[in-house]
Amino acid sequence: MEFITYEQEGFVGVVTINRPKALNALNSQVLDELEATFDAIDLDTTRAVVLTGAGEKSFVAGADIGEMSTLTKAEGEAFGKKGNDVFRKIETFPIPVIAAINGFALGGGCEISMSCDIRICSENAVFGPVCGGTQRLARLVGAGMAKQMIYTARNIKADEAYRIGLVNAVYPLEELLPAAKKMAAGIAANAPIAVRNCKKAINGGSQVDMDTAIVIEEKLFGDCFETEDQKAGMGNFLEKDKEKKLKVVPFQNK
């Protein structure tokens, strides 16, 4: 891989878009390498992923204008589809993906961050959605705010992104990646089947009416039973509860 690096830290995978001289802009090669990287992640040994950009200035500054400037209408549509396919792969990836947004998240950079389950950012982060954000942004921050941001083409800084709910937390730059890894490790420590099914339930349920969503939840809840996760988790709970009761000394009024 030329532009993507991957590191495994315990049950956490760290994917870094490594094109800092171009502010980690997305071109066809970056998108192809991102897709290949996520396809290669071992889901038996990885329970959460952190996605970030190399350097201190930019998470992803958008799509590569140099590449896009010469595209025909058909080629432009194909390039947009290539990006959307990668974003959708991340969005539907079986395990949680945390975006650690270090600096610019413009255009496709904002979109790829919105494809992640959780977004945290550095204090110098700047967000700028464009036409590709018409679907995810409205679902995250509401149609009114999304239309305002897209119609005015106005970039917003980290504090405003936090205020409107686009990101979950803001950190000093040097604390961002450690915080993302710590969060990912916390997720990885939980029962993996339950975590995966929670992601499926939230993603699937958000696209349908409540009655249908409840059925999705019920099926995924039932799917957790008769698994090692369920047996171990409930067994530990019952054992701890039994020990707690044994430690209770009856009150004696002498």
Side-chain angles (χ1 to χ4, degrees):
M1 297 285 178
E2 184 178 355
F3 296 128
I4 304 295
T5 62
Y6 181 81
E7 297 174 278
Q8 189 79 27
E9 300 184 11
F11 286 114
V12 176
V14 181
V15 177
T16 304
I17 300 170
N18 191 14
R19 200 185 175 209
K21 291 182 178 179
L23 298 178
N24 302 320
L26 302 174
N27 60 16
S28 293
Q29 184 176 345
V30 172
L31 290 170
D32 287 341
E33 290 186 12
L34 260 178
E35 182 174 30
T37 298
F38 273 87
D39 283 342
I41 292 175
D42 186 346
L43 295 176
D44 291 328
T45 59
T46 311
R47 297 182 179 181
V49 173
V50 173
L51 175 64
T52 193
E56 299 182 350
K57 294 181 179 179
S58 181
F59 171 67
V60 173
D64 191 315
I65 302 299
E67 179 178 352
M68 290 197 302
S69 63
T70 60
L71 297 181
T72 65
K73 181 179 178 180
E75 290 169 339
E77 183 176 343
F79 182 74
K81 184 179 187 307
K82 179 189 285 283
N84 277 333
D85 288 347
V86 174
F87 302 156
R88 189 62 176 154
K89 178 180 290 288
I90 293 170
E91 192 168 40
T92 59
F93 202 60
I95 58 179
V97 181
I98 301 169
I101 304 158
N102 50 315
F104 295 118
L106 308 177
C110 188
E111 186 72 7
I112 198 171
S113 75
M114 291 190 295
S115 301
C116 298
D117 297 280
I118 300 168
R119 285 158 299 285
I120 62 176
C121 74
S122 57
E123 293 172 335
N124 68 328
V126 178
F127 297 83
V130 290
C131 56
T134 56
Q135 303 308 308
R136 293 186 178 90
L137 186 63
R139 286 169 166 81
L140 288 170
V141 304
M145 181 60 71
K147 288 177 179 178
Q148 177 183 323
M149 292 173 66
I150 292 170
Y151 295 170
T152 62
R154 183 175 65 87
N155 295 341
I156 64 170
K157 295 183 179 180
D159 56 348
E160 187 171 357
Y162 177 71
R163 180 181 64 81
I164 66 175
L166 184 56
V167 299
N168 295 52
V170 180
Y171 293 91
L173 181 60
E174 65 275 10
E175 297 177 15
L176 176 65
L177 191 54
K181 291 179 179 179
K182 182 178 180 180
M183 183 185 295
I187 292 171
N190 292 328
I193 294 173
V195 172
R196 292 187 192 195
N197 281 7
C198 284
K199 177 168 181 172
K200 286 181 184 178
I202 294 170
N203 283 0
S206 65
Q207 308 301 315
V208 297
D209 63 89
M210 182 58 75
D211 289 332
T212 305
I214 288 172
V215 174
I216 292 173
E217 182 184 80
E218 290 168 351
K219 290 185 179 298
L220 289 167
F221 176 70
D223 190 53
C224 291
F225 285 80
E226 296 186 21
T227 65
E228 290 303 316
D229 281 5
Q230 178 254 333
K231 293 174 182 176
M234 291 189 175
N236 288 338
F237 177 86
L238 292 172
E239 188 62 31
K240 288 179 181 178
D241 189 54
K242 180 180 177 181
E243 291 175 2
K244 187 186 297 183
K245 289 178 179 178
L246 289 173
K247 292 177 182 179
V248 175
V249 177
F251 176 75
Q252 294 181 346
N253 185 11
K254 294 183 179 179

